[in-house]
Amino acid sequence: MKKILITAGMFFAFVSAQAQTAEEIKAEMAPKKDSIAAIQGRVDALQAQLDALPGWKIGAFGTIGGSLSNFNNWFAQGIPNNSSGNIGFTVNAYANLQEKKFFWRNAANLNLTWVKLDDKDDPTDDDSFRQATDVFNISSLYGRKVSEKFAISALAEYRTTILSNFNDPGYLDLGIGATWTPITDLVVVMHPLNYNFVFSSEDTIFESSMGAKILADYTKKIGAVNFKSNLSLFQSYKSGDLSNWTWTNSFSYTLWKMIGVGFDFGLRNNKQETLNYIVNNAPTPDPTATFDTIDNELQTYWTLGLSYKF
């Protein structure tokens, strides 16, 4: 009994010593973490000053995602013998000029994805990679400053697909108005005088019109993190059926050197594109469909994979 009590006492003493040691280590770590946070705060402040200096700022980052798979005699699924895969990438690039009296901001976004599904038991199926996501957008914004945060501006923005149906449809916005830059990384464009040129072979559905253009862009780099969010909205003065908006977001986190993890997603609303799909491209086309009879569903995409910082 005496030996048991001695052993138990030694065990609790050991645990107590270990706990005390752990608490001491945590106590030593706390001020060091505070010091690291303070140093990072000073570095971020210096980076903000650097970003605000006049001159060109050029950069790019992107995401690459993909997978390949092969099944043989996997009878639990509907196609037991198949090979499949998908691959996609996104590139966000910018070239911005900041001067005392004016600025010139240029941006490009490209998102492409291909997919394949080869049914080995069906010799007539399509076993090639097919285009799935196709997004291309470039913009150029010039502003003449009237104050530190406001400018009279002109914007040109072009959006289309490039893998198929290039410029069919294509959208070109040209407009003038004002730009608000409340902080270094946020730009808000408000152009009440804007013309939305629509290029398409289907001229009974797509139509150009005058309207208001609103564009908001937030691009930020904090250490290993790159983030970009862009909202482009056109409100037609002629008809709500001719209005559209697109919201794209890109996020990447650098894990090692230039390689990291990236995630991209986008939302889009365009009634003209929806009607064109139902009339001409749907599995069961409906040539009698009109703007009043269709359900304008939200368009979405996302990509998750490895990222590479240029």
Side-chain angles (χ1 to χ4, degrees):
M1 186 64 175
K2 184 177 180 180
K3 291 181 179 181
I4 294 175
L5 292 175
I6 293 174
T7 303
M10 293 177 64
F11 174 77
F12 285 116
F14 175 77
V15 172
S16 177
Q18 287 292 97
Q20 185 178 6
T21 302
E23 292 301 324
E24 290 175 353
I25 293 174
K26 290 179 181 179
E28 291 181 13
M29 289 174 59
K32 291 180 172 59
K33 288 183 178 180
D34 293 340
S35 298
I36 293 172
I39 293 171
Q40 186 62 53
R42 292 194 293 269
V43 171
D44 292 342
L46 291 173
Q47 184 64 50
Q49 295 178 28
L50 182 63
D51 293 339
L53 290 176
W56 283 99
K57 302 293 188 299
I58 300 174
F61 67 97
T63 300
I64 300 175
S67 68
L68 296 173
S69 64
N70 187 83
F71 291 88
N72 290 302
N73 301 325
W74 198 264
F75 298 116
Q77 61 188 16
I79 306 177
N81 300 292
N82 77 79
S83 62
S84 64
N86 70 80
I87 185 170
F89 67 90
T90 301
V91 177
N92 295 282
Y94 62 88
N96 300 330
L97 175 62
Q98 183 73 30
E99 295 293 345
K100 184 176 181 180
K101 294 184 178 180
F102 71 92
F103 60 80
W104 185 23
R105 302 177 63 90
N106 304 277
N109 170 259
L110 178 65
N111 187 309
L112 304 176
T113 304
W114 295 265
V115 299
K116 69 169 291 184
L117 175 61
D118 176 21
D119 184 351
K120 299 176 183 178
D121 297 324
D122 183 2
T124 64
D125 73 335
D126 186 358
D127 60 355
S128 62
F129 277 92
R130 293 176 292 171
Q131 170 258 324
T133 303
D134 192 353
V135 178
F136 178 66
N137 187 316
I138 57 174
S139 65
S140 183
L141 173 68
Y142 177 84
R144 198 75 183 178
K145 296 180 181 179
V146 296
S147 69
E148 188 63 29
K149 297 185 182 298
F150 282 93
I152 302 301
S153 57
L155 172 70
E157 183 187 41
Y158 178 68
R159 307 182 307 280
T160 186
T161 57
I162 61 174
L163 294 179
S164 62
N165 302 323
F166 175 73
N167 203 42
D168 188 14
Y171 305 90
L172 174 63
D173 279 294
L174 297 175
I176 58 174
T179 294
W180 178 43
T181 52
I183 57 177
T184 303
D185 305 297
L186 176 62
V187 177
V188 181
V189 178
M190 299 160 287
H191 285 180
L193 298 176
N194 182 91
Y195 199 83
N196 179 237
F197 295 90
V198 183
F199 310 101
S200 176
S201 58
E202 182 58 87
D203 54 7
T204 60
I205 295 176
F206 292 96
E207 183 179 352
S208 304
S209 64
M210 192 76 178
K213 181 72 175 182
I214 296 176
L215 186 146
D217 185 274
Y218 183 76
T219 304
K220 185 70 174 179
K221 178 183 177 183
I222 306 175
V225 177
N226 283 279
F227 178 78
K228 180 179 179 65
S229 182
N230 181 278
L231 173 65
S232 178
L233 182 150
F234 171 73
Q235 180 61 51
S236 174
Y237 293 147
K238 184 175 182 179
S239 170
D241 294 333
L242 306 180
S243 302
N244 62 78
W245 60 265
T246 302
W247 183 32
T248 59
N249 299 270
S250 297
F251 171 87
S252 71
Y253 181 79
T254 304
L255 298 173
W256 179 71
K257 293 185 177 181
M258 296 295 185
I259 300 174
V261 177
F263 177 68
D264 297 84
F265 75 91
L267 305 175
R268 184 174 177 85
N269 187 288
N270 189 312
K271 203 167 187 179
Q272 294 178 92
E273 291 179 350
T274 303
L275 179 59
N276 181 62
Y277 175 77
I278 293 175
V279 171
N280 297 305
N281 302 316
T284 306
D286 181 5
T288 64
T290 65
F291 284 117
D292 296 328
T293 62
I294 65 172
D295 182 15
N296 187 24
E297 297 182 0
L298 183 67
Q299 305 173 41
T300 67
Y301 74 81
W302 63 268
T303 302
L304 174 66
L306 295 177
S307 67
Y308 186 84
K309 183 175 66 175
F310 301 92

